[in-house]
């Protein structure tokens, strides 16, 4: 759930271009509400998009600009290829560009199905001096009321559940009871 607070940065996680416009809208909401000053799109995997081949971060920057976010509020991270790397590479950028000592809170922005695992990785990889919280839009196609009806998003949700399970087995994530998520 959204904590309603404020921070300095929205760490916008990459992924399949199908999901990225929704994630960008969520990050833009945070920025427009004055809850963050910067959006840090992260992802170096290249995809073929309607604008040609580009990295996840480049594609999200394009989506953010279409949402009215000014270029000076966007900090690109084009190297990360996994959620683990997103956290590490963004930490480096926040150190270099934003002087991490002046930051207090980062919002991790992703799709509903990806956010739980992303927050576990933020807990592991982001510096302990930073608070962090998750932000998503539950009305996205992989939100709790939508994914069972769409094979693409149902597959994504099941894949995320498997990755969370693997993270729990490895001790990277807390093993919690989620209950029956089927309709």
């Amino acid at each position: 759930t959204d904590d309603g607070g404020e921070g300095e940065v929205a760490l916008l996680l990459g992924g399949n271009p199908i999901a990225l416009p929704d994630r960008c809208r969520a990050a833009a909401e945070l920025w427009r509400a004055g809850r963050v000053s910067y959006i840090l799109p992260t992802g170096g995997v290249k995809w073929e998009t309607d604008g040609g081949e580009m990295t996840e971060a480049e594609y999200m920057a394009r989506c953010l600009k279409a949402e009215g976010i000014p270029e000076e509020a966007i900090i690109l991270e084009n190297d990360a290829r996994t959620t683990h790397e997103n956290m590490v590479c963004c930490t480096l950028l926040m150190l270099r560009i934003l002087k991490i000592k002046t930051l207090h809170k980062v919002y991790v922005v992703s799709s509903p199905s990806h956010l739980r695992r992303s927050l576990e990785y933020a807990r592991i990889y982001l510096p302990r001096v930073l608070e962090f919280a998750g932000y998503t839009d539950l009305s996205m196609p992989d939100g709790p009321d939508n994914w069972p009806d769409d094979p693409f998003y149902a597959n994504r949700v099941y894949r995320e559940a498997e990755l969370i399970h693997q993270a729990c087995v490895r001790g990277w994530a807390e093993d919690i009871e989620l209950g029956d998520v089927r309709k």
Side-chain angles (χ1 to χ4, degrees), residues 165-180:
H165 172 73
Q166 290 173 15
C168 291
V169 168
R170 292 181 176 133
W172 297 346
E174 181 184 357
D175 191 359
I176 62 170
E177 182 62 43
L178 294 176
D180 187 4

Side-chain angles (χ1 to χ4, degrees), residues 12-167:
L12 178 57
L13 301 177
N16 188 309
I18 293 170
L20 296 182
D22 288 327
R23 292 183 188 185
C24 290
R25 275 190 289 283
E29 285 174 14
L30 279 173
W31 186 87
R32 281 193 291 269
R35 294 177 58 191
V36 296
S37 300
Y38 299 97
I39 302 175
L40 207 163
T42 173
V45 175
K46 289 189 176 184
W47 293 87
E48 191 59 44
T49 71
D50 56 358
E53 186 179 85
M54 59 184 71
T55 67
E56 301 155 294
E58 291 166 339
Y59 183 70
M60 290 187 290
R62 188 171 146 230
C63 291
L64 290 168
K65 289 174 189 170
E67 288 281 335
I69 307 301
E71 194 164 335
E72 59 271 12
I74 301 170
I75 301 169
L76 278 174
E77 187 293 302
N78 267 318
D79 293 321
R81 301 181 62 77
T82 65
T83 306
H84 293 274
E85 291 180 14
N86 291 141
M87 301 303 166
V88 172
C89 292
C90 287
T91 296
L92 291 173
L93 272 180
M94 288 186 290
L95 277 167
R96 290 180 184 152
I97 296 173
L98 298 176
K99 311 299 182 222
I100 210 164
K101 292 177 184 175
T102 66
L103 304 179
H104 82 280
K105 189 171 190 176
V106 173
Y107 280 91
V108 178
V109 180
S110 193
S111 301
S113 64
H114 186 239
L115 193 57
R116 165 85 166 98
R117 184 168 58 94
S118 301
L119 289 173
E120 285 298 328
Y121 292 164
R123 181 183 56 77
I124 294 167
Y125 293 108
L126 290 181
R128 286 179 174 74
V129 298
L130 290 177
E131 288 181 48
F132 65 89
Y135 190 81
T136 193
D137 178 354
L138 293 176
S139 69
M140 287 183 193
D142 64 337
D145 294 330
N146 302 326
W147 67 266
D149 301 325
D150 185 312
F152 174 81
Y153 288 103
N155 185 52
R156 287 176 55 96
V157 168
Y158 287 118
R159 176 71 180 134
E160 276 299 318
E162 177 57 32
L163 290 170
I164 290 170
H165 172 73
Q166 290 173 15

